[in-house]
Each structure stands twice: as C-alpha cells, then as structure tokens.
Amino acid sequence: MSDVSLPSPPEARTAAVIPAAGRGVRLGPGAPKALRALNGTPMLIHAVRAMAASRAVSLVVVVAPPDGTAEVKTLLDAHALPERTDFVVVPGGDSRQESVRYGLEALPPGVDIVLVHDAARPLVPVDTVDAVIEAVRDGAPAVVPALPLADTVKEVEPAAVVGETEPVVATPERARLRAVQTPQGFDRVTLLRAHESVTDNVTDDASMVEQLGVPVVVVPGHEEAFKVTRPLDLVLAEAVLARRRLNDGF
C-alpha cells in the first residue's frame, strides 16, 4: 500500500447574487429601495458586506437597475469591502426572476454553490450565511433559512376591493409553517436548471426549485435577517445597528 496521501478535493467555490434592480415602492418615492441609506450607508452596501463577511464567499454579483449600473459600481468603489472577495455589477431585468438569471449568467466557471440574497435584508448575520452554505456542501440541492411564525395565520378569499372584509377559508397549522428569509443557497446546476425550466413569475428561487420536484430544506434563520420593506422597518434596522455598535464597537 502506498503511503502517499491523495490531495483533498478542492472546496466548492461559493458566489452570492444580490438582485437590487427593484424600485421599492412601499418605502415611498425616491431612490430605489436598495440604495436607501441605513445608518448613513446604502442598504445595498450592508447586504454586500453581509455576504462578503462569509469567508466561503469569493464573489458577489450585484444586479443593478438597468439605468443605474454605473452608479452602483461607483457606490461599491466608494465603500470599504473585503479584499478577499471579488465584486461584479450587471444590469438587471424587468422582474426579480429575470434579474437573478442575469446574475447567474455572470458567474465564472468553478462556482459550485450560489447564494441568492435580497438587498432588502441588509443585516443577516454571517452565521446564518455560513449555515446555508454548509447545508449545500453537505448535499442539499436547495437550502432556505427560515423562522417559525409567531402569529396565527389565516387563509382568506381576497377582497375584490382593498379595505373590504375577507372571508376566512382556513387556519393552517402554525407549527408546520415557516417565514422564509435569504440568502437561499443552491447547487449551481440545480438553480440554473430551475431558471431554464420555470417560467412562472415566482417570489423566490426555492419555489422554482420546488417546481422541478427537487427537495428544498430549511435551516434556522435569524430575527435580524428581516426584510426592510416599510418605513417602520428602517427604524428597526437602525435600532439593530445601534445595538451592534454598542456591543461590538462598529
């Protein structure tokens, strides 16, 4: 028997795609949601830093508004980002799904794991990012971080006119429900196949993989990975950052 040890297989390379081409109308008029300031820094920069905080992430692809690619490139250049991570900006499409696809097309060969992260979730902790990556490395083709629901949920028949009463159809069992967050992690081949096959306009990439019949698994999410959608969310995000500065000194 030879005592020459075989080289370890190369570790799977991970890239993150951040679709940031939306306008964010629920936050009101002004700059696109991803470019709104949070503690003086655009939310997008916080989201990029959150992905780059993972040592496993070697590339972050930001999908910018089609008319804002140069602005986003300038924004990334103007802020301190980890030198070990590469950053690319590409123009987005008319829908989130199209924008993610453009981000996937920008990935170089050698990337085996892809994270898709909402720019509007700027405060996701690095432990959550790493947990998603690790689950994909362990063999799951699709992974989503998620939290149990605190509220009872009702399924209703939507009203024809906003503000009218809505009949309750059912009350799902809360213990079986989860609120899904990002980053969602995928085996690259699986995610590409989903984007080539699924034409429905879906709200997240995991739903596309589900339509392929491929299993999706859940890992624990984090309360600070909430989505900044409404003005009150900005207040909460500022409070989280203030607590982090107090506890961690940044």
Side-chain angles (χ1 to χ4, degrees):
M1 176 185 290
S2 171
D3 58 0
V4 177
S5 59
L6 295 173
S8 300
E11 193 171 77
R13 286 188 64 202
T14 300
V17 174
I18 303 181
R23 299 301 304 181
V25 293
R26 280 178 288 181
L27 276 177
K33 184 192 331 185
L35 303 185
R36 300 293 179 92
L38 180 57
N39 190 35
T41 301
M43 274 201 294
L44 175 60
I45 297 299
H46 288 284
V48 168
R49 286 174 174 166
M51 295 299 97
S54 171
R55 292 187 173 275
V57 174
S58 58
L59 170 67
V60 176
V61 177
V62 178
V63 188
D67 59 351
T69 305
E71 180 183 1
V72 171
K73 286 180 179 176
T74 300
L75 203 62
L76 293 180
D77 290 340
H79 291 81
L81 299 170
E83 292 184 2
R84 66 173 182 272
T85 309
D86 293 327
F87 301 93
V88 175
V89 180
V90 299
D94 294 332
S95 67
R96 182 187 185 280
Q97 188 171 338
E98 190 175 25
S99 292
V100 172
R101 188 170 71 250
Y102 290 162
L104 293 176
E105 291 172 355
L107 297 179
V111 170
D112 302 298
I113 297 173
V114 181
L115 304 179
V116 181
H117 183 57
D118 294 332
R121 296 184 190 271
L123 304 179
V124 58
V126 67
D127 287 352
T128 303
V129 180
D130 286 341
V132 171
I133 296 169
E134 192 61 34
V136 180
R137 281 182 176 165
D138 286 345
V143 180
V144 296
L147 291 176
L149 298 183
D151 299 319
T152 297
V153 175
K154 301 289 185 184
E155 181 183 353
V156 302
E157 186 65 40
V161 178
V162 176
E164 289 187 350
T165 58
E166 298 177 319
V168 171
V169 175
T171 303
E173 184 181 349
R174 189 174 66 185
R176 296 177 63 87
L177 300 177
R178 297 291 182 270
V180 172
Q181 302 175 325
T182 69
Q184 298 183 355
F186 305 90
D187 167 76
R188 179 181 183 172
V189 173
T190 299
L191 185 57
L192 286 173
R193 186 156 64 92
H195 275 269
E196 291 167 355
S197 307
V198 179
T199 57
D200 297 340
N201 190 15
V202 293
T203 56
D204 74 343
D205 296 88
S207 299
M208 300 174 68
V209 172
E210 288 174 50
Q211 291 188 40
L212 298 179
V214 174
V216 178
V217 301
V218 168
V219 297
H222 196 282
E223 61 182 7
E224 292 180 2
F226 62 90
K227 193 171 187 178
V228 178
T229 303
R230 303 175 192 278
L232 185 60
D233 299 326
L234 282 171
V235 176
L236 179 57
E238 293 278 7
V240 170
L241 284 173
R243 187 184 67 187
R244 288 182 179 181
R245 286 196 304 272
L246 185 64
N247 292 342
D248 303 328
F250 71 90

